[in-house]
Amino acid sequence: MRILDPLAGRYAAWLRLPAEATADVSAEDPALVRAMPMIMRIERAEPPPRTAMLEAAAAAAVAVCLDPRAAEPDGEWHDAVAEWVRAHIRKVARRARGAHWAAVEELPGVTVTVGGASVRALVPGRVVDTPKEVSRLQIAGSDLPADEPDPPESDVPVLWVNPKVEMTAGKAAAQVGHATMLLAALWQADGADLADWAAADYRCAVRTPSPQRWAELHPGEEPGRAWRERGVVAVRDAGFTEVAPGTVTVVAQLPRPD
């Protein structure tokens, strides 16, 4: 079984759940809750562009999952990532700079830099076991001002962020990280070889569509059909932070052929 197969297997059922059911964690023991820490490098003097930061976060999250150390059954990260993927896919985004950033770079994970913006996605683990190098970092204050990127290139996946929902950069970073994981899961389930994407460091584009374009992208009530016919997959949030349970935060789209 591939490391992300559980995501592909439950994708359609998750989208069809009633909104309140997406936040049902009554069966979870708080001591066993797992999350992937995502550390955004935000220096005080030169904060990075928001779009570049989100693109780095999206690539870093899937890079950890598909790294041979996680994807191979005998890899040193495999058990940690597999246990996390089988449960609720939680991510916690924090910000770091200076010596604190240097400290988290020593922890197991993958750093991706896009346009001067760096994000390190760490190997997921139990929240109660979060290393002190991470737990001391702030979650609040991770927002970045909106920017106006160029239209996305046609040869990369595009992650379309819901234009009707306000999210901090930290929240959006977690959501686009979910999106690339789902995209990879369904892509692999269809038999795709992701070697070329891996060689390109899982490059993708993050954009905010118009409300009309968002409505066109949304998979609606037939997520399986939307994937087969339009190559789109949606992230539906459990509503633990910032957004209401059941909110579709991101729609990821496969590269468009020229």
Side-chain angles (χ1 to χ4, degrees):
M1 176 182 288
R2 291 176 297 261
I3 194 78
L4 293 177
D5 278 354
L7 283 185
R10 65 180 185 253
Y11 168 63
W14 174 256
L15 277 192
R16 294 193 184 103
L17 282 177
E20 61 274 12
T22 63
D24 182 9
V25 294
S26 58
E28 284 191 297
D29 181 345
L32 301 179
V33 171
R34 295 176 177 272
M36 171 186 278
M38 300 185 70
I39 315 303
M40 304 183 296
R41 185 177 187 179
I42 303 179
E43 299 290 346
R44 183 182 287 112
E46 296 184 52
R50 182 184 175 103
T51 295
M53 181 66 78
L54 296 183
E55 292 177 352
V62 74
V64 168
C65 298
L66 298 184
D67 188 289
R69 289 168 289 184
E72 298 296 333
D74 59 350
E76 60 186 294
W77 299 350
H78 179 81
D79 291 348
V81 175
E83 288 186 46
W84 174 63
V85 168
R86 287 195 295 265
H88 288 277
I89 306 299
R90 288 191 177 90
K91 297 183 179 71
V92 179
R94 300 173 185 264
R95 61 186 176 93
R97 58 176 177 259
H100 287 179
W101 170 257
V104 298
E105 285 221 286
E106 299 300 317
L107 299 174
V110 175
T111 298
V112 173
T113 300
V114 175
S118 295
V119 175
R120 186 166 183 80
L122 301 180
V123 174
R126 297 194 310 166
V127 173
V128 294
D129 296 329
T130 300
K132 67 179 185 306
E133 295 91 341
V134 175
S135 61
R136 68 187 179 188
L137 302 177
Q138 291 188 356
I139 298 175
S142 64
D143 208 9
L144 295 166
D147 52 2
E148 297 184 5
D150 294 332
E153 299 175 18
S154 62
D155 62 343
V156 299
V158 183
L159 314 179
W160 300 98
V161 179
N162 191 334
K164 303 176 182 179
V165 176
E166 290 189 13
M167 292 183 283
T168 62
K171 177 68 173 181
Q175 299 304 296
V176 295
H178 294 347
T180 49
M181 288 176 59
L182 278 171
L183 198 63
L186 294 181
W187 220 349
Q188 285 187 321
D190 282 352
D193 182 348
L194 304 187
D196 288 346
W197 196 26
D201 296 326
Y202 301 103
R203 190 165 59 95
C204 55
V206 176
R207 298 293 186 270
T208 302
S210 67
Q212 179 180 351
R213 178 62 174 146
W214 175 258
E216 295 169 353
L217 289 162
H218 198 292
E221 299 300 318
E222 299 184 83
R225 182 177 179 181
W227 170 253
R228 292 190 303 271
E229 296 183 358
R230 297 191 282 121
V232 297
V233 59
V235 176
R236 193 179 191 214
D237 194 67
F240 297 125
T241 60
E242 294 193 29
V243 303
T247 300
V248 173
T249 54
V250 180
V251 171
Q253 183 180 35
L254 288 177
R256 305 182 307 276
D258 292 333

